[in-house]
Amino acid sequence: TKPISFYGNTKLQAEKYIIKKFEKKKISYCIGRIFSTTNKDQKKGYLIPDLKKRIKKSKNKIILKNLNHFRDFISMVNISKIIFSLLDKKYKGIINIASGKPLHLKNIAEIILKKYNRKNYKYIDNRIETTLIGNISKLKKITNFKIHDPVKKLIFWLLIMISVLITNYNKSKFIKRSLKSVISNRYKKYEIILFDDASTDSSLKVLKQFKNIRLITNKKKIYKSPALNQINGILECFKI
């Protein structure tokens, strides 16, 4: 198939170069043509994280351009499984690494818009609709994989944000350790909301050492019961 972009053409030229050089020296090769992908650690410069950033941060009407395309998305988990399977079987030649299923880019935008409750938006469609879907008939025969990557599952980890709620009352000796245990976690898409229930020790002084904390403070206790005060703290966290 003829490439539809400059980027696609550079990949085709790279393939031709590899084939020419390797065949001349009689070296076996395997070229995996990986189609569109996403994963929970994907950074800016890719469609889904960039769409998420634009939609989440926009305060005005959102203009969404150039989404009138069909693409073939496959998760990094399945890509890894396929590559290891090809290595194990010592496959030689060119093969598409894809799901074989079309996904309209507007469907991705709709999921993100719904997630952030954005209703003020407009699509400006490109004139020419393009379709890039992988033919995976060869892949199915070789690997026997059933690739099932629903779009919601593909973008779930890019959209999710974990809120860690912590209540504190006069626990200056332990609060620093608690916060460090959260910060040291490998998963970085989280926020820390801490409710301090009118502490009289050095808790607030300790908390000021941590910059990325959403801090709520009570000037005085509302209830006599520690349990009720803790419940009140959690409810206050949910309000922000």
Side-chain angles (χ1 to χ4, degrees):
T1 305
K2 187 178 179 180
I4 63 172
S5 66
F6 175 77
Y7 173 65
N9 189 51
T10 59
K11 292 201 292 184
L12 180 61
Q13 295 307 315
E15 281 185 14
K16 289 179 177 179
Y17 178 82
I18 290 168
I19 293 168
K20 183 179 178 180
K21 291 291 183 181
F22 278 42
E23 286 185 347
K24 188 177 179 180
K25 295 185 177 181
K26 296 181 180 180
I27 299 172
S28 299
Y29 62 85
C30 174
I31 296 174
R33 291 175 173 170
I34 300 173
F35 283 64
S36 301
T37 186
T38 190
N39 65 84
K40 65 179 182 180
D41 300 315
Q42 199 170 41
K43 308 297 182 184
K44 63 181 181 179
Y46 291 90
L47 174 70
I48 295 178
D50 284 356
L51 261 179
K52 175 198 167 185
K53 185 178 179 181
R54 280 190 58 207
I55 291 170
K56 184 180 179 182
K57 292 192 174 183
S58 180
K59 294 180 181 179
N60 303 314
K61 187 173 184 178
I62 305 166
I63 305 298
L64 298 168
K65 299 179 181 180
N66 199 29
L67 293 178
N68 192 29
H69 303 286
F70 285 94
R71 292 293 182 266
D72 186 328
F73 277 83
I74 180 170
S75 68
M76 288 299 297
V77 172
N78 278 325
I79 290 172
S80 301
K81 287 179 180 178
I82 290 167
I83 290 173
F84 277 111
S85 178
L86 293 171
L87 282 169
D88 185 56
K89 296 177 186 296
K90 297 181 181 179
Y91 178 78
K92 301 173 186 177
I94 300 173
I95 192 165
N96 290 332
I97 299 178
S99 69
K101 298 171 185 176
L103 174 61
H104 203 283
L105 299 188
K106 280 187 182 179
N107 289 353
I108 296 173
E110 292 290 341
I111 290 171
I112 302 172
L113 286 163
K114 186 178 179 181
K115 166 71 179 178
Y116 294 111
N117 197 28
R118 298 290 192 267
K119 296 178 181 179
N120 189 17
Y121 63 90
K122 179 184 177 182
Y123 290 111
I124 298 179
D125 289 339
N126 42 291
R127 291 183 180 179
I128 302 172
E129 179 185 276
T130 63
T131 301
L132 284 176
I133 311 300
N135 182 338
I136 59 169
S137 55
K138 192 187 295 185
L139 181 68
K140 284 181 177 179
K141 289 178 183 178
I142 296 165
T143 63
N144 294 319
F145 281 162
K146 289 183 179 180
I147 300 167
H148 183 59
D149 283 328
V151 61
K152 288 185 178 180
K153 182 181 176 183
L154 279 169
I155 66 176
F156 173 77
W157 287 107
L158 281 168
L159 296 180
I160 195 169
M161 169 68 80
I162 294 174
S163 294
V164 181
L165 311 181
I166 301 174
T167 60
N168 176 68
Y169 173 68
N170 287 349
K171 292 290 186 289
S172 59
K173 291 182 179 179
F174 308 105
I175 193 64
K176 190 172 184 178
R177 189 195 307 168
S178 297
L179 289 169
K180 282 187 174 181
S181 71
V182 176
I183 294 167
S184 64
N185 198 291
R186 287 185 179 181
Y187 189 80
K188 297 302 179 184
K189 292 181 182 179
Y190 65 84
E191 62 177 351
I192 300 174
I193 305 173
L194 194 143
F195 178 80
D196 184 80
D197 198 17
S199 291
T200 56
D201 64 354
S202 59
S203 289
L204 291 177
K205 188 177 180 180
V206 172
L207 294 173
K208 286 179 181 179
Q209 298 174 22
F210 297 86
K211 295 179 181 179
N212 299 320
I213 296 175
R214 302 176 74 177
L215 181 62
I216 307 167
T217 56
N218 252 1
K219 291 183 179 179
K220 62 178 182 179
K221 282 184 170 290
I222 297 175
Y223 304 102
K224 292 182 179 179
S225 166
L228 286 175
N229 280 311
Q230 191 171 44
I231 292 168
N232 176 62
I234 293 170
L235 292 174
E236 288 297 321
C237 289
F238 276 110
K239 288 180 182 179
I240 66 171

